[in-house]
Amino acid sequence: MSGRTVDEAEAAAALERGASDLLPIVVELEEVLAAEADALRRRDPAALLSAVEAKRRCLREADRCMAASARTPAAPGEAQTELMARLARCRTLNEAAGAAVAALQAHTEASLALLGLSPGAGAYGPSGRAAREPAAQTLVVC
């Protein structure tokens, strides 16, 4: 061995197995995040909801996998190195999706404001009737 004790070697092997088990989940997560970004670009709500559910499923699987693996620090192996690179890409994709969602939300809020509606105000009150009439806005002047 290269100066490692048996316990260190076993811990390193366990960590590499854990990374190997987690890697396919992260590969799927990366694909799901790309699909989520595509759904946001196309403004496809059904595809977006599907991607979000798939993302949640991947994250639950990753949590289970990580809980089952050893958490012993060791020199990174090949699977760990690839895992870290893919996780970095997933983070970038997820941050981009978050920025796109924020931009769409800002656009929606601006559109509602132009129509005289407050984004936070509900259209209906507790009685089921309109809480208030939308303010009249002149959209085009001829």
Side-chain angles (χ1 to χ4, degrees), residues 20-54:
S20 294
D21 292 344
L22 188 57
L23 188 55
I25 298 167
V26 173
V27 168
E28 182 180 356
L29 178 61
E30 190 174 1
E31 291 167 0
V32 166
L33 288 167
E36 180 184 41
D38 184 55
L40 284 166
R41 273 190 298 279
R42 291 182 293 118
R43 296 188 180 184
D44 182 343
L48 181 60
L49 289 174
S50 176
V52 167
E53 184 51 41

Side-chain angles (χ1 to χ4, degrees), residues 3-104:
R4 289 189 189 181
T5 67
V6 174
D7 289 342
E8 289 173 335
E10 287 175 6
L15 190 57
E16 184 67 13
R17 279 191 308 276
S20 294
D21 292 344
L22 188 57
L23 188 55
I25 298 167
V26 173
V27 168
E28 182 180 356
L29 178 61
E30 190 174 1
E31 291 167 0
V32 166
L33 288 167
E36 180 184 41
D38 184 55
L40 284 166
R41 273 190 298 279
R42 291 182 293 118
R43 296 188 180 184
D44 182 343
L48 181 60
L49 289 174
S50 176
V52 167
E53 184 51 41
K55 182 168 64 170
R56 287 181 179 150
R57 184 181 43 72
C58 285
L59 293 174
R60 283 191 303 269
E61 287 178 32
D63 282 344
R64 279 194 293 274
C65 185
M66 289 173 59
S69 71
R71 291 197 171 102
T72 307
E78 187 177 318
Q80 290 169 277
T81 302
E82 183 178 352
L83 178 64
M84 296 308 292
R86 286 190 178 272
L87 284 171
R89 287 193 295 272
C90 286
R91 179 180 182 172
T92 300
L93 287 168
N94 200 45
E95 287 173 350
V101 168
L104 290 171

